[in-house]
Amino acid sequence: MGSGGDNDQERTAGSPGPASDVDPHIPVLRINQLDALELDTSLEQLLWTQFSMCFQNCRPGVLTPLEPELRALLHLLLWRFTLYSNSATAGQTLLSLRYHSSRGLSPGYKPLSSGQKLSLAVLSAGPRWLQERSHSLLASLGFPQGLFSGGDGSLLQKGLRNALTLVSGITKLACLINFLVFLKKGRHPLLVERIAGAQAVFSKPNVVRDVTYQYMNRELLWHGFAEFLIFLLPLINTRKLKATVSSVLFGGESADGDKAKGGSDVWKECGLCGEWPTMPHTVGCRHVFCYYCIKSHTIADPKLTCPKCGAEAGPLEPVMVAVGKSGP
């Protein structure tokens, strides 16, 4: 009877196997616990995005007045169908983890009680909602401005606001200390988990991190390649390289084209934007540029070369155009 009752309790908690298979003494990798938190956050944000898209045809800002309450309600819905039903969040389920009650002296696995699950929900959604609604709540209290009024408002309101700020700072400091303890001991990455007595354990015996290293190596390779390009590209003078390649591939044709056009049409087109030059300037060659085009490129690259002919850029000189003539 006792064994059947234990099995029923495990099925209620959503255990994938017998309780004897879950060993709470096997340490869980810190990266697994942090990945589970990231997956939970991403899932909640994804659901909020999908929910917001349902109101995209309404007037802008229709959800803004109730956004804190809607986010808290969404968090509670996720809690009801994940943590409350299975003693594991969605992210933990994907990584073969679940919560174990660290309270008590039982050496085996012990699922979370209803009070612990409720504590996790309230301590996760409550402070965030209170922080987002603190200013509007203080403004709606409507304290009298009689004997307790100061220069800018009610002294009582100021005291409450300062108290909330102090509590928020203490909470953030406690979260930081808890995270440092987690990095050292590998348990309870969140302060609410430590308060509620919820510890992440493997839901399967002898489980390993279920990540295909082939994809992990691919991601590491692309990240390393991207960082290498970010470091290398600023060192390459792409404009000069482009001008050199253009002069090598199309040098003869461009020269013939310029000779065919003659000097009369060269000044009518900016060598950078291709439009009629605004405040035309030259850098020492026969090509003309808009002042702002060539000035911005000169500031970005002090060793700028002409993108048309590849000549070294000299000081900017305005192009004098005579009225009634076809050229500068």
Side-chain angles (χ1 to χ4, degrees):
M1 294 295 292
S3 176
D6 292 341
N7 291 336
D8 292 339
Q9 185 180 12
E10 289 154 18
R11 294 190 190 99
T12 304
S15 173
S20 58
D21 292 341
V22 181
D23 189 356
H25 301 291
I26 298 178
V28 180
L29 295 177
R30 294 171 178 80
I31 188 62
N32 280 24
Q33 301 181 56
L34 295 177
D35 282 350
L37 296 178
E38 288 296 328
L39 289 172
D40 293 333
T41 303
S42 300
L43 176 61
E44 187 172 347
Q45 184 60 39
L46 177 62
L47 291 178
W48 173 255
T49 302
Q50 296 296 323
F51 177 75
S52 302
M53 290 179 62
C54 298
F55 299 88
Q56 62 181 355
N57 295 326
C58 301
R59 61 180 178 84
V62 65
L63 297 179
T64 303
L66 298 176
E67 183 173 345
E69 287 75 18
L70 292 175
R71 285 186 177 274
L73 179 61
L74 179 62
H75 182 83
L76 292 178
L77 287 175
L78 287 175
W79 166 82
R80 171 61 184 84
F81 293 104
T82 56
L83 180 58
Y84 182 80
S85 301
N86 304 323
S87 290
T89 63
Q92 288 178 335
T93 304
L94 292 175
L95 296 175
S96 300
L97 301 177
R98 63 179 311 173
Y99 276 127
H100 157 70
S101 177
S102 59
R103 297 176 180 175
L105 303 176
S106 176
Y109 172 76
K110 182 181 179 182
L112 296 181
S113 63
S114 299
Q116 289 175 304
K117 296 176 182 178
L118 184 61
S119 299
L120 286 174
V122 173
L123 293 176
S124 298
R128 183 174 60 182
W129 174 85
L130 184 61
Q131 182 178 7
E132 294 176 353
R133 281 298 186 192
S134 58
H135 294 286
S136 58
L137 290 176
L138 289 176
S140 64
L141 291 178
F143 292 109
Q145 300 290 331
L147 299 176
F148 299 98
S149 61
D152 296 331
S154 172
L155 294 178
L156 185 55
Q157 287 184 355
K158 289 182 180 179
L160 289 175
R161 188 176 293 109
N162 293 335
L164 287 176
T165 303
L166 179 62
V167 171
S168 177
I170 294 175
T171 303
K172 292 180 180 178
L173 178 61
C175 291
L176 175 61
I177 295 174
N178 176 80
F179 188 75
L180 295 177
V181 175
F182 161 72
L183 294 179
K184 179 177 179 58
K185 297 186 177 181
R187 291 182 295 179
H188 307 298
L190 296 179
L191 183 61
V192 295
E193 295 181 358
R194 189 176 298 275
I195 295 175
Q199 177 183 345
V201 296
F202 286 118
S203 60
K204 299 177 182 179
N206 301 323
V207 71
V208 295
R209 182 171 170 80
D210 191 13
V211 176
T212 305
Y213 285 95
Q214 155 184 356
Y215 298 104
M216 181 181 294
N217 292 336
R218 184 182 303 172
E219 290 295 325
L220 291 175
L221 175 63
W222 279 112
H223 278 291
F225 183 66
E227 291 180 359
F228 175 73
L229 289 180
I230 292 173
F231 172 77
L232 181 63
L233 287 179
L235 303 178
I236 300 176
N237 192 336
T238 55
R239 297 185 184 91
K240 186 174 182 179
L241 181 62
K242 181 180 178 181
T244 304
V245 173
S246 299
S247 62
V248 170
L249 297 179
F250 310 104
E253 182 179 352
S254 297
D256 294 340
D258 288 344
K259 291 179 181 178
K261 289 181 180 179
S264 59
D265 294 335
V266 175
W267 66 275
K268 296 181 180 180
E269 178 180 334
C270 173
L272 291 171
C273 66
E275 301 294 334
W276 188 279
T278 303
M279 299 174 60
H281 279 66
T282 182
V283 291
C285 61
R286 60 191 311 272
H287 298 98
V288 180
F289 309 91
C290 299
Y291 171 76
Y292 294 106
C293 291
I294 192 63
K295 186 64 177 179
S296 61
H297 282 71
T298 304
I299 294 174
D301 184 7
K303 299 180 180 180
L304 179 69
T305 58
C306 176
K308 289 289 188 178
C309 60
E312 293 291 337
L316 296 182
E317 296 180 359
V319 177
M320 305 304 295
V321 181
V323 179
K325 295 184 178 181
S326 58

